[in-house]
C-alpha cells in the first residue's frame, strides 16, 4: 500500500506486484509518502522525504526493485509528472527514522532551565523560562536522555525518554524545587486532529501542590462537567472513552473553564476563557502552585 505518511488509511492499495491503480485526488501541497506491507501503518517498509504536489497536475508513482539487501536491485520510488513528455520524474529519497519533541518549562518558581541531550556538553535548549515552550526539535527515533540544569547545576540527570519514528512528543519539566520533586513528563502528541471541524484537546494537571481536580465549563445556565477531566491528580492527563486516549474533541469556540477540588465545590483554578479553533491540536495545562494556579496552552499544529 502507498499512504500519505500521517494518514491512518492507505491512499492506494494494497496492490499485488505489477498492478496499475487508478488516480486518487489529493489537495496540492507538500507530502511525505510511505510504503506499507499490506494495509497497516505498523508494517511500514519505507517513508520518503517530502515532495511537492502541484495544482492541476497528474502524477504516477512507480515502485521498483526489491526490499532485500541480498541483491543489487535497490528499492526505488520514482514520481513521474504526467503533464510532461513522460520523462520528467523525481526519485524520492528515503527519509531517516526521526521524530520531534517539544519541551515546556512547567516548574513554578524555578529559574530558567537548560537541557542537554544524550550527554552532550552543549545545551540543546538554553534558559527556557516558566511557562514557556520550545518549538518542536527534530531527533533520531529511539531512546535518548535529558539532563536539565538550572544555573549550571543539574536538577534532573540523564532522564530517559523515547522518540517515536515520525511521531511527536511533548516533554513537560514538572514538579517543584522545594520540596524537591522534579521529573520530566513525556506525552505522545497527535500528528493529526481527531476532527478537522473540531478542536482536539488534552488537559494535564501540572500544579505540584494542587489536590485532584474536576473540570467544568461555565455556561449561561450553570456548569457543565468535562467528563474527560475528572479527578485529575498531579501529572495526570484527561482521558476520553470515545477516543481511547488523552485527547478529546470539542466544537471550536471560547470556553470558560473552571477546575475544582475533586468531589467538592472548592475552586482551585478560577473560570478562565480558553479559545480553541477547528483542526487545532492543543494541550491545556494547569500550572503554578495551587494558591495561584492558571491555565496555559500549548498548540501542536
Amino acid at each position: 500500500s502507498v499512504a500519505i505518511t500521517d494518514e491512518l488509511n492507505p491512499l492506494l492499495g494494497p496492490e499485488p506486484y505489477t498492478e496499475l491503480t487508478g488516480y486518487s485526488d489529493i489537495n496540492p501541497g507538500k507530502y511525505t509518502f510511505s510504503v506499507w506491507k499490506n494495509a497497516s501503518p505498523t508494517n511500514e517498509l519505507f517513508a520518503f522525504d517530502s515532495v511537492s504536489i502541484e495544482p492541476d497536475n497528474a502524477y504516477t508513482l512507480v515502485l521498483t526493485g526489491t526490499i532485500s539487501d541480498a541483491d543489487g536491485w535497490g528499492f526505488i520510488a520514482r514520481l513521474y509528472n504526467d503533464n510532461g513528455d513522460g520523462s520528467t520524474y523525481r526519485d524520492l529519497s528515503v527519509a531517516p527514522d526521526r521524530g520531534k519533541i517539544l519541551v515546556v518549562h512547567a516548574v513554578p518558581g524555578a529559574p530558567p532551565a537548560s537541557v542537554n541531550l544524550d550527554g552532550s556538553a552543549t545545551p540543546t535548549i538554553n534558559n527556557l523560562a516558566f511557562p514557556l515552550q520550545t518549538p518542536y526539535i527534530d531527533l533520531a527515533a529511539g531512546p535518548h536522555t535529558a539532563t536539565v540544569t538550572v544555573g549550571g547545576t543539574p536538577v534532573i540527570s540523564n532522564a530517559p525518554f523515547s522518540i517515536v519514528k515520525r511521531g511527536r512528543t511533548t516533554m513537560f519539566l514538572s514538579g517543584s524545587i522545594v520540596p524537591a520533586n522534579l521529573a520530566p513528563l513525556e506525552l505522545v502528541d497527535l500528528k493529526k486532529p481527531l476532527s478537522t471541524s473540531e478542536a482536539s484537546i488534552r488537559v494535564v494537571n501540572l500544579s505540584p501542590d494542587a489536590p485532584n481536580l474536576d473540570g467544568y465549563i461555565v455556561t449561561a445556565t450553570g456548569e457543565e462537567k468535562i467528563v474527560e477531566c475528572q479527578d485529575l491528580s498531579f501529572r495526570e492527563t484527561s482521558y476520553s472513552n470515545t477516543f481511547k486516549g488523552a485527547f478529546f474533541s470539542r466544537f471550536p469556540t471560547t470556553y470558560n473553564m473552571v477546575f475544582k477540588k475533586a468531589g467538592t465545590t472548592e475552586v482551585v483554578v478560577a473560570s478562565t476563557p480558553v479559545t480553541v479553533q477547528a483542526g487545532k491540536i492543543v494541550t491545556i495545562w494547569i500550572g503554578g502552585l495551587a494558591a495561584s494556579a492558571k491555565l496555559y496552552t500549548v498548540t501542536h499544529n
Side-chain angles (χ1 to χ4, degrees), residues 40-205:
S40 171
T42 61
N43 292 329
E44 182 185 83
L45 298 175
F46 298 97
F48 299 93
D49 282 336
S50 62
V51 61
S52 293
I53 300 299
E54 303 296 336
D56 303 318
N57 275 257
Y59 299 87
T60 296
L61 181 62
V62 179
L63 307 177
T64 65
T66 73
I67 61 173
S68 171
D69 293 332
D71 57 46
W73 300 98
F75 190 88
I76 296 173
R78 180 166 289 179
L79 187 69
Y80 285 88
N81 187 328
D82 295 349
N83 293 57
D85 60 5
S87 62
T88 303
Y89 65 85
R90 172 180 172 181
D91 285 341
L92 305 185
S93 300
V94 175
D97 290 344
R98 300 185 72 80
K100 298 179 183 293
I101 189 168
L102 177 157
V103 179
V104 183
H105 188 324
V107 183
S114 297
V115 182
N116 297 55
L117 298 178
D118 301 321
S120 172
T122 304
T124 301
I125 299 164
N126 279 297
N127 295 321
L128 181 67
F130 178 90
L132 302 182
Q133 67 194 61
T134 67
Y136 276 107
I137 299 166
D138 192 63
L139 291 175
H144 294 269
T145 62
T147 294
V148 181
T149 62
V150 172
T153 301
V155 292
I156 299 174
S157 296
N158 295 318
F161 68 96
S162 295
I163 293 294
V164 178
K165 182 171 68 174
R166 280 176 287 284
R168 294 188 172 197
T169 300
T170 292
M171 179 190 288
F172 287 94
L173 308 180
S174 67
S176 57
I177 295 291
V178 180
N181 179 20
L182 294 172
L185 177 65
E186 181 183 351
L187 300 176
V188 176
D189 303 333
L190 293 177
K191 293 191 292 182
K192 293 187 64 180
L194 299 170
S195 167
T196 56
S197 62
E198 296 189 332
S200 301
I201 302 169
R202 174 176 62 193
V203 177
V204 56
N205 179 4

